[in-house]
Amino acid sequence: MPPRGERGWLPIAATLVVGGWGANQFTPLSVVYRLDEGWSTLRVVAMFTTYLLGLVPALLLGCRAADRFGARRVVRLALALTAAASCVLAGSGMSEAVVYVSRLLTGLATGVIVSAGAAWLGQSSKGSGTRYAVYATGAGFAFGPLAAGAMVEWLPRALVLAPLVHAVLALLALRATAGIPETVGCRAVRQDVAAERWSAVRHPRFVGVVLPASPAIFAAVTVSYVVLPPLVVDRVHGYAPLFSGLVAAVTLTVGLLVQPAAARIDRPGSARATLIAMATVVVGLLVGSMAVDRVSPVAVVAAAVVLGAGYGLTLESGLAEIGRLASPSALPTASALFQGVAHSGFLAPLVLAISARSASYQEMLVVLALVGLVFLTVAAVYSWKHGHPESNSGERLTSWDE
């Protein structure tokens, strides 16, 4: 058995898995709220958006809190918070107000775990932490809804049991991280210099290539597992929660697996990786429109594969662009802005649900694909006009907080 110091990063990686699990376990549970409780699509989608209200500020402030109080303390507090959020969800008694509170708390906890936890893992794993963080978080995002969907499908009182299982896992991760030494927070990767911190975000390539592609990252995944499964629910013959969890797992697993391919496609001085990624998302939206038109669960899974690929390719290509544009002192600002714009894609299901009163989902998905084509054109034009400067950071970004 390796000494504890050589495997001390494993409990930290487990916190990222738990954080991702808690964020996405709501996906199959929401199917039950729709079918058994009669909650409208708009109300359920609003609950997903409430999660975003907690997630974004926590992502942006997680490292600052870790710098001030220590990454270990901050991440362990977030583990306790995500466990509490799941307990609140388990005890909600189908109260909408309580579910909203749970989603907000889950967003706050996940944002801190993803940001400060990734930095903590990077400092505890001797150079491999950023890639471990990507895989651990992705595993949690994918496995959480699949496990929750299976529990809802086959176990009694699963609306209570599934969140409690996650709460127990969070408490186990909390116990496992008790003996890991404290770190200095995120300072090792966040050395701000006021004069340079805005240099990357002012670059035309950041404005014209990185930002137009960013909303597609999370628009792709939320359309895949929030919007599409409920539209074919009548065709899955009583397996709606499991199907919803499966679609989420497929989307996020594919997104994780294609990221190395994006790294191979990427070339300095060219935006081909970004353009291929955006085109993949557009194709996925069109496949999703076809799935809605045919009311086909098989086509929804096919759309999940394509949209998941678009998610992974867009994320990796955006991080590669930032890694070349930003100096170490500019990375935190560029990464924070990239995060904020990327997470605006979480609003896609809400926009579609509101618009459903005046147009069909099939039509709206085609319109969304056309919007993606417009942004793709903007990115292509800017890429042609503004080639890359020499790399300032000396390395590629491989997570939000590197």
Side-chain angles (χ1 to χ4, degrees), residues 267-316:
R267 292 291 184 276
S270 168
R272 70 175 186 176
T274 298
L275 299 180
I276 290 173
M278 296 177 72
T280 304
V281 174
V282 169
V283 172
L285 292 170
L286 294 176
V287 175
S289 177
M290 180 193 71
V292 173
D293 180 49
R294 298 183 178 181
V295 197
S296 168
V298 174
V300 166
V301 174
V305 171
V306 181
L307 288 169
Y311 152 70
L313 293 172
T314 309
L315 174 60
E316 179 68 22

Side-chain angles (χ1 to χ4, degrees), residues 3-387:
R4 182 176 180 83
E6 294 182 8
R7 54 190 172 88
W9 59 270
L10 288 172
I12 307 174
T15 68
L16 293 166
V17 174
V18 168
W21 181 312
N24 273 1
Q25 67 176 339
F26 184 74
T27 301
L29 303 183
S30 68
V31 176
V32 182
Y33 296 140
R34 282 191 180 104
L35 297 180
D36 294 355
E37 299 302 314
W39 293 5
S40 69
T41 297
L42 183 58
R43 288 152 73 185
V44 173
V45 168
M47 293 173 183
F48 279 97
T49 308
T50 301
Y51 161 81
L52 181 64
L53 296 178
L55 178 73
V56 171
L59 280 171
L60 302 179
L61 299 176
C63 268
R64 292 187 181 183
D67 285 342
R68 181 169 182 178
F69 302 108
R72 174 179 175 274
R73 182 180 300 174
V74 168
V75 173
R76 297 187 78 241
L77 179 62
L79 279 171
L81 182 60
T82 194
S86 285
C87 289
V88 169
L89 183 61
S92 66
M94 298 296 183
S95 167
E96 287 188 53
V98 177
V99 174
Y100 276 112
V101 170
S102 171
R103 293 296 292 162
L104 180 63
L105 295 177
T106 298
L108 287 168
T110 303
V112 172
I113 291 171
V114 169
S115 57
W120 188 21
L121 183 58
Q123 295 173 40
S124 302
S125 57
K126 299 180 180 180
S128 301
T130 51
R131 183 54 62 187
Y132 293 159
V134 170
Y135 288 132
T137 306
F141 281 145
F143 192 69
L146 184 60
M151 284 185 270
V152 169
E153 199 63 55
W154 291 310
L155 297 179
R157 295 185 58 80
L159 290 180
V160 175
L161 179 62
L164 288 182
V165 167
H166 171 257
V168 170
L169 292 174
L171 292 177
L172 289 174
L174 184 66
R175 176 67 183 87
T177 55
I180 298 177
E182 182 60 276
T183 71
V184 295
C186 305
R187 291 190 193 99
V189 291
R190 293 176 68 93
Q191 300 291 335
D192 287 354
V193 177
E196 297 182 9
R197 63 185 305 180
W198 297 101
S199 59
V201 300
R202 291 178 179 139
H203 193 280
R205 192 169 183 90
F206 184 88
V207 175
V209 176
V210 176
L211 292 187
S214 300
I217 296 171
F218 291 112
V221 293
T222 54
V223 166
S224 179
Y225 63 72
V226 177
V227 174
L228 295 180
L231 300 176
V232 299
V233 69
D234 293 336
R235 297 292 183 90
V236 290
H237 306 296
Y239 293 95
L242 182 61
F243 178 73
S244 177
L246 175 65
V247 170
V250 167
T251 304
L252 294 158
T253 301
V254 171
L256 194 65
L257 293 176
V258 302
Q259 289 184 34
R264 289 193 292 269
I265 295 169
D266 180 65
R267 292 291 184 276
S270 168
R272 70 175 186 176
T274 298
L275 299 180
I276 290 173
M278 296 177 72
T280 304
V281 174
V282 169
V283 172
L285 292 170
L286 294 176
V287 175
S289 177
M290 180 193 71
V292 173
D293 180 49
R294 298 183 178 181
V295 197
S296 168
V298 174
V300 166
V301 174
V305 171
V306 181
L307 288 169
Y311 152 70
L313 293 172
T314 309
L315 174 60
E316 179 68 22
S317 62
L319 293 173
E321 290 278 358
I322 294 174
R324 283 190 291 264
L325 287 170
S327 64
S329 60
L331 282 178
T333 301
S335 181
L337 182 56
F338 180 51
Q339 289 180 54
V341 178
H343 281 89
S344 70
F346 269 98
L347 297 175
L350 182 61
V351 172
L352 292 176
I354 293 172
S355 303
R357 299 173 181 177
S358 56
S360 70
Y361 271 95
Q362 179 190 2
E363 295 167 337
M364 289 186 293
L365 288 171
V366 172
V367 170
L368 202 58
L370 292 175
V371 172
L373 279 176
V374 171
F375 283 126
L376 189 155
T377 303
V378 170
V381 170
Y382 266 83
S383 175
W384 179 68
K385 289 184 176 180
H386 301 282

